[in-house]
Each structure stands twice: as C-alpha cells, then as structure tokens.
Amino acid sequence: MGRYAARRLLQMIPIFIGTTLLIFLMVHILPGDPIRAMWGDKAADPAQVAALRHEFGLDQPVWKQYTDYMTNLFQGDFGQTFGGREVIDVMSEAFPVTLRLAALAIIIEIIIGISLGAWAGLRAGKTADTGVLVFTLFVISIPVFVLGYLARFIFADELGWLPPNVQDSTDITQLFLPAFVLAMLSMAYVARLTRTTFAENLRSDYMRTATAKGLPRRRIIGVHLLRNSMIPVITFIGTDIGGFIGGAVITEGIFNVQGVGNVLYRAIQTSEGSTIVGVVTVIVLVILLLNLIIDLLYAVLDPRIRYA
C-alpha cells in the first residue's frame, strides 16, 4: 500500500500543475482590466495604473506571470490582494469557516442519507421505499438556491427557529441551516445510492449464508450488509467533500457566511487573479488528497482489495 500511495502522490503533481495552469489562463481571459476597475467610474491616472500593473506583475507575459506565481507558491507565497493583504491571510480566515460548514454538512449527509437509504433498502418495493424515492427525487429536482431561500423563509423568517444570517461562524447553531441546505442534494443522492446497494446486497450469496448460519439479524445487517454496501457510498461522499468546499458559493451568499465562497465571489467580481488562483489551488489540493484517502480506505472496507 505504501508504494501505491507514493505512486498516487506522484500522479498528483501533473494534475496539480495542469489545473493551476488552466485556472490561471482562465483568470487572464476574463473581460475587463482589474487595475482600472479599482477607480470605478472615476478617471484613472495612467501613471498609477502602470505602476500598479508593474507591482502586481500584470505587465509581464502570461507565461512569465505563471512561472513567477508557481515559484512563489512553492515557497508558500500566494501573492497579495489588490488591497495589499496577503492572500494566505485572507484564506486562513475564510477556509476554517467553510471547513466548519462543510464538516457539518457532511455529518448531516452521512447520518440522514445513509439512515434513510438503509431504511428504504431494507423495505425495497414497499410503500416506505417508494416514499423515500419520491422525496429524494423531489430534492434532486430543485435547484440549490431555491432550496436555500425556501429553507430560510420557512425556518428563519416564518418559524424563527434559526437565524436568517450567520453572524458568528463559530456558533454551530447558526451554521446548521446553511449546512443543511448545502447537504440536501448530496443527502438525497447518498440515500438513493445506499438504498440501491442495500437492496442488491440483500440478495447476495453471503447474505443467504449468514442467514443460514443463524447469525442475529442485527449482526447480519450491521456487519455484513452495511460494510459491503458502503464502498460506493464512501466513494461518493469522498468526492463530494471537495464539492462542498467549492460549491459553497451559493449557500454562503444566501446566509451571509464569510467563507471561501464569498471570498471567491468577490475575487471573481474584481478579477483578482491571485486570490482566485490561490483559493482554487487549495481546493484542488484538498480534493486530490481526499481522493487518495478514499482509495486507501477501500482496503479497510473490503480486505479482498489489494494494492500493487
């Protein structure tokens, strides 16, 4: 497994470089001049514009800007914002907020999604199973921003159970509503995936063998069925964690969560390339590492899997 992990880590290098290059090029083809945009509707002083373009390296060819950026990045320097702040300082404030939000969303997704899917899978073909399938299809068919505004209207504005905006990101009760909205779509997919694998594995030979051996039903379901049904579910959840971090833009905007989504949205509006590339770079690294961890977990869940 050690050689497999080392090989996967080496494979991450070209993926990481290719992704950052793609994002860097996309940022530089965005319309508008970010330096002139700092003056708004006022007339810009050409000398000041030229000085700022030189300060941020925007007067250099794109390939030179990218090589300089990557050189600084490997030294831990993510560059500066147009406001003069270090990008790493901005990210160090925003990422913990988004990670708390994503962690809470994952917990909600795992607890509710797997429980709902297992409950439906054990009752495949019955009314309860049909009800779960209809409910999850209903959730999947609604866009996230609609779910967000709907949840905010019902639970915050009408019922008053939860605050409509997040004032303190360290307060889990304030993060619960945006985390629930963030988790809703993935929770529906996890429920349907768990339900399908449960229903299929119930008909497997090892389940019939376990039943014929007279094992208690709780052990059959909790050990044999649950363990063998979790491989595709864990794969989905693992890839979804990165999606939570990157896809929090809409949810954070609706509930005023000062996380990565808000930072990224403001950076895109001002074409602030260093912030955009810095945030996306960290997200790419998180996704790559999570995929590696998920692959290594396969052997834990299924001992038949061996890595060369």
Side-chain angles (χ1 to χ4, degrees):
M1 185 179 290
R3 292 178 60 187
Y4 175 79
R7 194 165 64 244
R8 285 294 306 272
L9 286 170
L10 289 175
Q11 290 174 351
M12 289 181 185
I13 295 175
I15 297 173
F16 172 73
I17 294 175
T19 307
T20 52
L21 176 61
L22 183 62
I23 298 299
F24 202 86
L25 294 175
M26 288 176 66
V27 168
H28 282 77
I29 62 173
L30 286 175
D33 185 340
I35 299 298
R36 286 190 178 276
M38 295 170 67
W39 273 264
D41 295 333
K42 298 178 182 177
D45 180 357
Q48 288 183 322
V49 171
L52 284 172
R53 289 181 66 82
H54 179 70
E55 178 182 346
F56 289 101
L58 299 178
D59 56 347
Q60 300 292 325
V62 174
W63 67 267
K64 180 72 165 52
Q65 293 182 44
Y66 178 71
T67 52
D68 288 346
Y69 181 83
M70 292 302 291
T71 302
N72 293 331
L73 186 64
F74 283 113
Q75 297 173 356
D77 181 4
F78 283 80
Q80 287 188 336
T81 66
F82 291 153
R85 292 193 65 194
E86 294 290 334
V87 172
I88 195 168
D89 291 338
V90 175
M91 292 194 297
S92 65
E93 293 175 3
F95 263 102
V97 177
T98 300
L99 288 175
R100 276 195 292 274
L101 180 67
L104 189 56
I106 291 164
I107 292 172
I108 294 171
E109 174 190 3
I110 291 174
I111 294 176
I112 300 180
I114 293 179
S115 301
L116 200 61
W119 186 68
L122 293 172
R123 295 162 179 78
K126 298 181 180 178
T127 305
D129 178 37
T130 305
V132 170
L133 290 176
V134 171
F135 170 72
T136 52
L137 182 61
F138 176 73
V139 172
I140 291 170
S141 62
I142 300 178
V144 174
F145 70 90
V146 175
L147 281 174
Y149 283 113
L150 190 62
R152 176 174 165 162
F153 174 75
I154 295 174
F155 297 108
D157 298 338
E158 291 298 316
L159 299 176
W161 291 352
L162 295 165
N165 294 315
V166 175
Q167 304 295 334
D168 181 5
S169 64
T170 60
D171 187 347
I172 297 298
T173 58
Q174 293 190 26
L175 283 178
F176 182 80
L177 191 55
F180 185 75
V181 171
L182 186 61
M184 281 288 282
L185 182 61
S186 298
M187 186 179 68
Y189 281 119
V190 167
R192 293 176 77 91
L193 190 57
T194 306
R195 177 259 172 202
T196 301
T197 52
F198 258 65
E200 288 179 352
N201 287 330
L202 275 173
R203 298 190 292 269
S204 300
D205 292 338
Y206 70 85
M207 287 296 295
R208 282 192 286 268
T209 303
T211 304
K213 289 166 63 179
L215 295 177
R217 181 174 171 78
R218 180 177 298 179
R219 179 174 175 79
I220 294 174
I221 294 174
V223 177
H224 297 275
L225 181 58
L226 183 64
R227 185 171 180 172
N228 286 286
S229 301
M230 284 300 98
I231 291 180
V233 177
I234 285 181
T235 303
F236 177 83
I237 293 173
T239 55
D240 212 33
I241 295 174
F244 276 157
I245 297 174
V249 178
I250 297 174
T251 309
E252 290 186 357
I254 294 173
F255 296 97
N256 193 35
V257 181
Q258 298 303 312
V260 169
N262 262 320
V263 169
L264 196 58
Y265 179 69
R266 289 196 299 268
I268 291 172
Q269 281 186 316
T270 57
S271 299
E272 203 169 74
S274 57
T275 304
I276 298 172
V277 179
V279 170
V280 175
T281 297
V282 175
I283 292 175
V284 168
L285 281 174
V286 171
I287 292 173
L288 290 175
L289 289 175
L290 284 174
N291 279 324
L292 174 62
I293 294 171
I294 294 301
D295 284 349
L296 297 179
L297 276 177
Y298 284 164
V300 178
L301 288 169
D302 189 348
R304 293 172 298 179
I305 298 176
R306 292 288 181 269
Y307 298 105

